[in-house]
């Protein structure tokens, strides 16, 4: 492990799937394909929302933020993941590792809060439809989105700053594809109680509280939908929430597995566990952003109509321009 004269760590080594070279080739192609789908799917969704004036509403404003967030999140980690598949032991500078960890953690925390804000939007839309335009004014939903970004960035500043202050003695090998914060904490040769407590507080603020907001919002939403007399009215009301609910289930199902129990020390014989956690992290980091635009476009008639309209006009301009 490289050190400077003042014993400061200068680099980390990413192991990833180096012990499984055949899997590396398969995962390189798979992750590259999914990353391109993330860029294409979310890019099209953002373009459609900006392009079609009928989609200029709070729900689609939040969706546009979610798509941009997914692009930023994957772009902060996927290039490093792809590079690690091409090298046996990928070396990353300490500063580069911290920057990548900061960006990934910030985007993940922001998405947690943003999903909670989207649930509040659906709660107001279904439970108070007549007051919806007044309650969810432009100033309100822009502030809600900005609050999501600020809270995610601030949370990441705290966690990254605490991690940077830890000493790393003899082991700089990260059993992961990227500089993931829990994998970094396992390498510290000092007491990480403060980091564990801070991570627990972070879990409460950006995981538990938004999930409670989502759960309570949907309790009221379901109760309101059940009071709608017509079956068609119930179907239409639920259809406006089904995409968001599907994304929440996929998102929280994977992220809680990774972050709900920070581990304080690395024990011997846990390589298989590390690989499993890394693969689940990879699923969360790449698969979820790939699915989000598909879920929202397939379950939303307005988005599908706007996509067809935009593609139709582009085809017309190409054919007759």
């Amino acid at each position: 492990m490289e050190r400077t004269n003042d014993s400061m760590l200068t680099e980390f080594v990413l192991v990833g799937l180096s012990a499984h070279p055949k899997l590396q080739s398969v995962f390189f192609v798979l992750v590259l394909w999914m990353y391109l789908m993330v860029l294409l799917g979310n890019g099209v969704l953002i373009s459609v929302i900006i392009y079609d004036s009928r989609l200029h509403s709070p729900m689609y404003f939040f969706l546009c933020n979610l798509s941009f967030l997914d692009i930023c999140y994957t772009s902060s980690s996927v290039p490093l993941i792809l590079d690690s598949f091409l090298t046996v032991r990928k070396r990353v500078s300490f500063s580069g590792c911290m920057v990548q960890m900061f960006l990934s953690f910030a985007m993940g925390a922001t998405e947690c809060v943003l999903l909670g804000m989207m649930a509040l939007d659906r709660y107001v839309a279904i439970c108070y439809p007549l007051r919806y335009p007044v309650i969810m004014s432009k100033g309100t939903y822009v502030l809600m989105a900005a609050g999501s970004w600020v809270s995610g960035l601030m949370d990441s500043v705290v966690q990254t700053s605490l991690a940077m202050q830890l000493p790393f003695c003899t082991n700089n090998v990260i059993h992961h594809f990227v500089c993931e914060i829990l994998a970094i904490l396992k390498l510290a040769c000092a007491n990480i109680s403060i980091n564990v407590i801070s991570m627990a507080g972070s879990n409460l603020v950006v995981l538990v509280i938004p999930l409670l907001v989502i759960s309570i919002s949907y309790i009221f939403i379901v109760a309101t939908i059940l009071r709608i007399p017509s079956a068609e009215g119930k179907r239409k009301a639920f259809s406006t929430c089904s995409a968001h609910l599907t994304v929440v289930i996929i998102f929280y199902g994977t992220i809680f597995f990774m972050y709900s129990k920070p581990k304080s020390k690395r024990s011997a014989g846990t390589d298989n566990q590390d690989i499993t956690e890394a693969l689940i992290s990879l699923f969360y980091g790449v698969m979820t952003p790939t699915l989000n635009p598909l879920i929202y476009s397939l379950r939303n008639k307005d988005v599908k109509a706007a996509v067809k309209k935009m593609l139709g006009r582009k085809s017309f301009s190409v054919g007759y321009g």
Side-chain angles (χ1 to χ4, degrees):
M1 180 175 65
E2 290 187 21
R3 290 180 178 275
T4 59
N5 292 333
D6 56 358
S7 297
M8 292 295 291
L9 183 72
T10 60
E11 67 174 21
F12 287 105
V13 177
L14 298 174
V15 174
L17 290 174
S18 59
H20 309 275
K22 293 183 180 179
L23 283 180
Q24 284 194 122
S25 302
V26 174
F27 273 93
F28 177 84
V29 175
L30 182 61
V31 171
L32 178 59
W33 178 82
M34 287 193 293
Y35 179 53
L36 294 176
M37 291 300 101
V38 168
L39 298 180
L40 177 62
N42 287 286
V44 168
L45 200 54
I46 292 172
S47 301
V48 165
I49 292 172
I50 295 175
Y51 166 80
D52 197 320
S53 59
R54 294 175 301 173
L55 302 182
H56 293 176
S57 65
M59 181 176 74
Y60 295 108
F61 176 78
F62 287 126
L63 180 55
C64 191
N65 273 265
L66 181 63
S67 292
F68 180 68
L69 194 59
D70 284 340
I71 291 175
C72 292
Y73 180 80
T74 52
S75 296
S76 69
S77 58
V78 169
L80 185 59
I81 293 173
L82 293 174
D83 194 16
S84 70
F85 288 147
L86 298 176
T87 54
V88 177
R89 294 167 70 87
K90 173 64 180 176
R91 296 180 179 273
V92 183
S93 67
F94 180 85
S95 58
C97 196
M98 292 299 109
V99 169
Q100 186 270 313
M101 185 178 74
F102 166 78
L103 292 175
S104 295
F105 195 95
M107 297 303 104
T110 301
E111 187 159 349
C112 291
V113 181
L114 185 62
L115 288 173
M117 297 298 185
M118 295 173 76
L120 286 176
D121 172 67
R122 292 300 83 207
Y123 161 73
V124 176
I126 292 177
C127 299
Y128 302 98
L130 298 180
R131 297 175 57 191
Y132 179 73
V134 177
I135 297 175
M136 294 300 296
S137 63
K138 184 175 182 179
T140 300
Y141 65 75
V142 169
L143 187 62
M144 290 169 67
S148 301
W149 284 92
V150 170
S151 59
L153 290 170
M154 292 303 297
D155 186 28
S156 186
V157 166
V158 172
Q159 304 307 324
T160 304
S161 299
L162 289 175
M164 290 179 67
Q165 296 175 22
L166 292 171
F168 300 92
C169 302
T170 59
N171 187 6
N172 68 338
V173 178
I174 302 175
H175 291 264
H176 209 284
F177 303 106
V178 293
C179 298
E180 199 267 344
I181 189 166
L182 297 184
I184 295 290
L185 294 182
K186 290 179 181 180
L187 304 181
C189 59
N191 191 323
I192 62 169
S193 299
I194 295 178
N195 301 80
V196 173
I197 294 172
S198 179
M199 281 292 293
S202 173
N203 287 342
L204 176 64
V205 173
V206 302
L207 283 176
V208 178
I209 292 179
L211 186 59
L212 285 175
V213 170
I214 292 169
S215 301
I216 294 172
S217 296
Y218 273 101
I219 289 174
F220 284 103
I221 288 171
V222 170
T224 301
I225 291 176
L226 291 177
R227 291 197 297 267
I228 298 175
S230 67
E232 181 64 18
K234 291 179 180 178
R235 187 192 64 79
K236 287 183 178 180
F238 185 74
S239 67
T240 65
C241 305
S242 59
H244 174 260
L245 192 57
T246 303
V247 169
V248 166
I249 292 172
I250 296 174
F251 182 84
Y252 274 96
T254 50
I255 199 172
F256 257 113
F257 185 91
M258 293 186 297
Y259 292 109
S260 59
K261 294 182 179 180
K263 299 174 180 62
S264 58
K265 290 292 180 182
R266 173 176 170 81
S267 58
T270 58
D271 288 348
N272 290 334
Q273 180 182 351
D274 288 330
I275 292 298
T276 301
E277 291 178 358
L279 290 174
I280 292 174
S281 175
L282 183 63
F283 172 84
Y284 158 74
V286 183
M287 182 62 74
T288 304
T290 305
L291 293 176
N292 284 354
L294 291 175
I295 292 170
Y296 275 100
S297 60
L298 292 176
R299 289 179 172 268
N300 191 298
K301 293 182 179 180
D302 293 335
V303 173
K304 287 192 287 187
V307 170
K308 291 179 181 179
K309 181 180 177 182
M310 185 178 73
L311 294 178
R313 287 194 177 183
K314 285 188 175 181
S315 298
F316 180 84
S317 63
V318 170
Y320 294 92

